[in-house]
Amino acid sequence: MIYSRIVGTGGYLPDRILTNAELATKVDTSDEWIVGRTGIKSRHIAAENESTCDLAEQASLKALEAANVDISEIDLIILGTTTPDRIYPSTACLLQARLGNHGAAAFDVQAVCSGFVYALSTADKFIKTGAAKCALVIGAEVYSRILNWTDRGTCILFGDGAGAVVLKPDSEPGILSTHLHADGAYKDLLTVPGQVANGRINGDGFTKMQGNEVFKFAVNALRNIVDETLQANQLDKDAIDWLVPHQANIRIIAATAKKLKLPMEQVIVTVAEHGNTSAASVPLALDVGVRDGRIQRGDMLLLEAIGGGFTWGSVLVKY
Ligand code: ACO
């Protein structure tokens, strides 16, 4: 049996930090409201000349270094993003060129905040079947570019960043299982509805969200995916050492931890400093937990995410 193993992680956040206090000078909100409802204190915002590919490049270089893998060894690049640099080529191809890789399969995955979980699941199948020997998997976003900075219901929630992992085959686990779902019936609860046509955006190019409805769906879907993941692996809740959740809202994270009966000390939480970085949030949180030494080799990790679509999913990893 071949498993895929995460052999290196990397993360990158743009320099500029936007605090709640600064946001409160732009829209009618307060630090108290944002922290109380979301747990977010600040977020990082990309510079005007920084793109998703730039952020992805920095995270990838760190992951490759941690894995001690040369870019020429990579034969698969999958990048989750909602904010690609161009309509095409894919940001994965732009990143490939930037990193100096030639010939690896490279493509983007669009599953919004679940983008990294979808990308990691896909890469896992390539490694498990022998179709790839060394994969670079990235979640990267300049989500700030699709926010209406006068809409206090959405602009307070998101930030920019990138996270990456390198995967290799191993006879030991590794990724134990992945679980992906979507339901397009919910397409209008969280969306950027505009379309590109005739050289411009037709309609609205900013994030539209029915926050309350998204919140309720997220809590429920993530509770269910915890059960699904544990049952598929015939594991009890106490088998999980670390929850590495999508960082949308501390209240959603706490509800998932409660379902797992995990104390918050066993949850990697970055939402206070990162906000919701969409596809970047899970790999960034993973990288934080690995680099600060909390996540150790052999630990059981539950990665989960939910995003526009709706899309949602989980990955169970013996790190
Ligand atoms: N500052 C101050 N007041 C605000 C703000 C703000 N930034 N935003 C909304 N309000 C007001 C509303 O106008 C409303 O006022 P009213 O009662 O006078 O009408 C009041 O606060 C309550 O608004 P709600 O939308 O009901 O607030 P809620 O408790 O649902 O919190 C929030 C809103 C934080 C968006 C929450 O619904 C949420 O986190 N939802 C999940 C959304 C999410 O995470 N999306 C990210 C992508 S999807 C994903 O990753 C899961």
Side-chain angles (χ1 to χ4, degrees), residues 87-293:
I87 294 171
Y88 72 84
S90 68
T91 308
C93 284
L94 303 181
L95 176 67
Q96 177 180 38
R98 193 73 73 74
L99 293 172
N101 174 283
H102 303 276
F107 57 92
D108 287 358
V109 166
Q110 162 58 299
V112 201
C113 301
S114 311
F116 178 77
V117 165
Y118 265 64
L120 188 60
S121 296
T122 309
D124 175 51
K125 310 300 179 237
F126 274 76
I127 298 270
K128 269 190 171 146
T129 58
K133 292 274 174 263
C134 195
L136 177 62
V137 185
I138 312 104
E141 301 277 14
V142 285
Y143 202 95
S144 60
R145 308 268 160 86
I146 52 170
L147 288 173
N148 176 350
W149 288 96
T150 65
D151 175 14
R152 68 177 183 174
T154 53
C155 75
I156 57 146
L157 296 172
F158 295 90
D160 301 334
V165 301
V166 177
L167 287 185
K168 275 190 169 181
D170 202 315
S171 54
E172 301 283 322
I175 292 179
L176 289 162
S177 70
T178 72
H179 307 265
L180 300 182
H181 297 283
D183 192 341
Y186 296 95
K187 63 191 185 309
D188 295 323
L189 293 187
L190 180 56
T191 178
V192 178
Q195 311 141 19
V196 177
N198 304 317
R200 60 190 176 88
I201 292 180
N202 283 341
D204 198 332
F206 294 122
T207 299
K208 299 265 165 219
M209 184 181 70
Q210 294 178 36
N212 254 313
E213 297 305 313
V214 174
F215 188 94
K216 280 185 262 176
F217 187 94
V219 168
N220 200 34
L222 293 173
R223 278 189 185 141
N224 290 341
I225 209 143
V226 165
D227 282 337
E228 180 185 333
T229 311
L230 292 174
Q231 275 166 22
N233 292 278
Q234 296 177 324
L235 288 175
D236 291 329
K237 291 172 178 156
D238 59 10
I240 305 298
D241 296 304
W242 293 101
L243 176 64
V244 186
H246 174 47
Q247 310 282 326
N249 183 316
I250 192 69
R251 294 186 290 143
I252 299 175
I253 295 171
T256 313
K258 195 172 167 200
K259 170 78 186 172
L260 275 166
K261 296 205 170 90
L262 265 189
M264 287 306 280
E265 291 71 36
Q266 281 171 261
V267 183
I268 308 293
V269 179
T270 57
V271 71
E273 298 84 25
H274 297 182
N276 181 349
T277 58
S278 187
S281 99
V282 171
L284 268 169
L286 177 64
D287 185 56
V288 165
V290 166
R291 282 180 193 262
D292 69 19

Side-chain angles (χ1 to χ4, degrees), residues 44-57:
H44 293 248
I45 304 292
E48 260 175 48
N49 62 353
E50 256 181 330
S51 71
T52 292
C53 184
D54 293 321
L55 274 48
E57 180 186 9

Side-chain angles (χ1 to χ4, degrees), residues 291-303:
R291 282 180 193 262
D292 69 19
R294 278 179 289 173
I295 295 175
Q296 294 287 319
R297 285 283 166 205
D299 285 353
M300 191 73 84
L301 319 180
L302 180 62
L303 280 50

